[in-house]
C-alpha cells in the first residue's frame, strides 16, 4: 500500500515511532496527484512546493517533540473555505479573483494543528449543484467510474478522498453537499451539528465537515476543527461527546422513502435494508417510519434559494452575469414570478423541516436512510434530472438535517450492479456527532463486501 493510502490515524502512529516522515508522505501524495489528476480533476490551487516546505517543518516538529494533533497529515480544503492568499471563485467564472486575506476558522484550526494543506478542491457553480459542473473548474469525475459524477457540491473533496490524495478532505454542506458526494464515492462524510465547526460566514443550513475513507479519520478531523470562533456567531465551544455507541436497545428509525423527489433505486433500498438487518442482529430496535418531509417543504426551499441566488446574480455586472452557468441562469430566471408571500412561505418551510425531524427524534436515537435515491449519474449533467426547473429531487434524504441542524454522516454499505458505491446515512440528535461516526465505523467493519479503493 502506498503511503498516500494510509489513514491519518496510521500516519500519526508512524510519525510518532519515526518509521515514516511527513516528507515521504507528501511526496507519495503528490505522485498520486500527478498520475490521476488529469483524469479526475479534483484539485484547485495545488501548491506542491508549499506542501513540501510544510512537510519539512512538520518533520522538524516531530523530531523536537512539538507536533500538533494533525502534524504532517496531508489535507485538502474545499475552495469556498478561505485560505490566505488564494482566491475563492465559488466554482464560477463570474467571480472576480481576489486572494483571501486570512484563513477561515476551519482552515486556521487545521493549519494550527500541523496539517499540510497542499491544495484546495473543486466545487460546482456557486455550490448549487449535486455534481461537479462548473464554469471555472475542469469537470470533476468519480474515481470509481470517470464517466460518472463525484457528486457535489464538495465534488473535488470526494474525488480526492476516493482517489487517495491523502486521508482528510474538508467540504461544506447546505443540502447534502458533503454527504451526497461521500455516498457516491464510497466515503464517510459528516455534516456536523451546526455551529460545531465555525464557518466564518454562516447562513441557514451551511456546515463544514470532513470527507474521509474511515470514521476514525473523520472523528480526528472533527475534533481539530471544532470550537467557537468570534467570526461565526453561530459557533459554540467544542463538545466532549465520545467516539462510541451501544447498539443493544438502540432505537433506529428506518427511512426508505424520502416522501419527495426521485424514486429510490431498488439496489439502494436493498443495501440500506441489509444495513438495518446488521443493526438489528446487533441488538438495535429497528422500525420503518413514514417520510419526514413533504413536497411543499422541498418546493418552499427551492423558492427561497431561487430568490436568494437570483438576487446575488442580479447584483453582478452584465458581463459577469453572462458567465454564470446557463442551467443556473435558467433556474433563477423564474424568480421574478414569485411574490413576497411565496418567498416568506418558502423560508418558513425550512422551519417546518426542522420541526418534522425533531419530532422523529422524540421516539428514536438514529434515523437510517439512503444518502441518495440513486447511484452516481453521468458526470456531464448539472442535475440528475437534467432539468434546471427540478434541481433538488436528489436531496430529499439529506436536506432535512441541514434545516434541523442535526449531525448526519454517511458510510458505504453496498455496490450497484455496475460497481458504483451505495451509501447509507445516519442522522442522530444534536451534539452526538461522534456517536454517529462510531456507528458508521461499526457498519464499515461489518460490511458483507468490501472492495479495494479504485485507484490504489
Amino acid at each position: 500500500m502506498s503511503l498516500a493510502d494510509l489513514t491519518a490515524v496510521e500516519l500519526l502512529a508512524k510519525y510518532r515511532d519515526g518509521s515514516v516522515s511527513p516528507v515521504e508522505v507528501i511526496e507519495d501524495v503528490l505522485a498520486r496527484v500527478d498520475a490521476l489528476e488529469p483524469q479526475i480533476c479534483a484539485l484547485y490551487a495545488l501548491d506542491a512546493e508549499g506542501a513540501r516546505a510544510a512537510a519539512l517543518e512538520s518533520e522538524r516538529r516531530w523530531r523536537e517533540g512539538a507536533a500538533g494533533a494533525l502534524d504532517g497529515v496531508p489535507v485538502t480544503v474545499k475552495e469556498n473555505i478561505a485560505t490566505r492568499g488564494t482566491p475563492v471563485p465559488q466554482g464560477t467564472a463570474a467571480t472576480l479573483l481576489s486572494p483571501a486575506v486570512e484563513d477561515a476558522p476551519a482552515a486556521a484550526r487545521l493549519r494550527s494543528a500541523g496539517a499540510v494543506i497542499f491544495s484546495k478542491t473543486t466545487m460546482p457553480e456557486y455550490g448549487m449543484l449535486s455534481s461537479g459542473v462548473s464554469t471555472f473548474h475542469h469537470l470533476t469525475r468519480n474515481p470509481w467510474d470517470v464517466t460518472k459524477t463525484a457528486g457535489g457540491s464538495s465534488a473535488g473533496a470526494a474525488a480526492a478522498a476516493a482517489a487517495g490524495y491523502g486521508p482528510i478532505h474538508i467540504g461544506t454542506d447546505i443540502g447534502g453537499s458533503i454527504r451526497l458526494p461521500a455516498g457516491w464515492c464510497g466515503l464517510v462524510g459528516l455534516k456536523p451539528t451546526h455551529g460545531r465547526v465555525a464557518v466564518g460566514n454562516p447562513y441557514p443550513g451551511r456546515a463544514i465537515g470532513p470527507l474521509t475513507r474511515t470514521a476514525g479519520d473523520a472523528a480526528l478531523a472533527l475534533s481539530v476543527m471544532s470550537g467557537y470562533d468570534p467570526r461565526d456567531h453561530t459557533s459554540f465551544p467544542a463538545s466532549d461527546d465520545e467516539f462510541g455507541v451501544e447498539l443493544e436497545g438502540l432505537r433506529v428509525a428506518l427511512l426508505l422513502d424520502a416522501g419527495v423527489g426521485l424514486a429510490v433505486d431498488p439496489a439502494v433500498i436493498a443495501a440500506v435494508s441489509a444495513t438495518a438487518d446488521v443493526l438489528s442482529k446487533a441488538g438495535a430496535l429497528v422500525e420503518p417510519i413514514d417520510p419526514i418531509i413533504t413536497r411543499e417543504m422541498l418546493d418552499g426551499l427551492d423558492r427561497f434559494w431561487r430568490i436568494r441566488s437570483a438576487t446575488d446574480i442580479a447584483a453582478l455586472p452584465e458581463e459577469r452575469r453572462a458567465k454564470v452557468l446557463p442551467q443556473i441562469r435558467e433556474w433563477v430566471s423564474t424568480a421574478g414570478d414569485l411574490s413576497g408571500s411565496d418567498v416568506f412561505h418558502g423560508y418558513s418551510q425550512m422551519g417546518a423541516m426542522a420541526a418534522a425531524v425533531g419530532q422523529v427524534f422524540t421516539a428514536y436515537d438514529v434515523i437510517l436512510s439512503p444518502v441518495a435515491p440513486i447511484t452516481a449519474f453521468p458526470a456531464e449533467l448539472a442535475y440528475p434530472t437534467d432539468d434546471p426547473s427540478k434541481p433538488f429531487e436528489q436531496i430529499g434524504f439529506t436536506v432535512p438535517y441541514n434545516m434541523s441542524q442535526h449531525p448526519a454522516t454517511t458510510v458505504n454499505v453496498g455496490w450497484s450492479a455496475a460497481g458504483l458505491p451505495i451509501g447509507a446515512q445516519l442522522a442522530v440528535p444534536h451534539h452526538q456527532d461522534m456517536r454517529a461516526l462510531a456507528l458508521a465505523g461499526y457498519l464499515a467493519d461489518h460490511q458483507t463486501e468490501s472492495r479495494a479503493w479504485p485507484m490504489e
Side-chain angles (χ1 to χ4, degrees), residues 142 144 182-187 265-276 278 368-372 374-376 410-425 440 443-453:
N142 192 322
W144 293 96
W184 286 327
C185 288
L187 306 167
D265 187 309
V268 173
I269 291 176
V272 176
S273 297
T275 301
V278 170
L368 168 65
S369 75
V371 180
I374 57 172
T375 55
T410 69
V411 61
N412 179 250
V413 294
W415 311 90
S416 73
L420 294 172
I422 295 172
Q425 178 177 237
L443 290 173
D445 290 342
H446 289 79
Q447 280 195 83
T448 55
E449 179 189 4
S450 60
R451 300 188 182 188
W453 289 97

Side-chain angles (χ1 to χ4, degrees), residues 240-261:
D240 58 0
D241 56 321
E242 296 181 357
F243 185 81
V245 64
E246 174 57 56
L247 293 177
E248 185 68 38
L250 188 73
R251 300 170 301 168
V252 178
L254 176 60
L255 178 68
L256 294 176
D257 177 6
V260 65

Side-chain angles (χ1 to χ4, degrees), residues 242-248 250 279 366 428 432 434-440 442:
E242 296 181 357
F243 185 81
V245 64
E246 174 57 56
L247 293 177
E248 185 68 38
L250 188 73
L279 294 177
V366 179
V428 297
Q432 295 187 17
M434 291 295 187
R435 190 184 200 195
L437 288 172
L439 190 53
Y442 176 87

Side-chain angles (χ1 to χ4, degrees), residues 23-73:
V23 174
E24 298 172 274
V25 174
I26 199 61
E27 289 300 338
D28 261 27
V29 169
L30 292 174
R32 178 71 58 85
V33 168
D34 285 345
L36 300 183
E37 185 60 7
Q39 301 173 59
I40 67 172
C41 301
L43 302 185
Y44 160 66
L46 172 67
D47 181 9
E49 291 313 305
R52 290 184 172 106
L56 275 170
E57 283 297 304
S58 176
E59 183 180 63
R60 176 186 59 78
R61 287 192 294 272
W62 279 104
R63 190 169 55 246
E64 296 175 355
L70 278 179
D71 228 300
V73 174

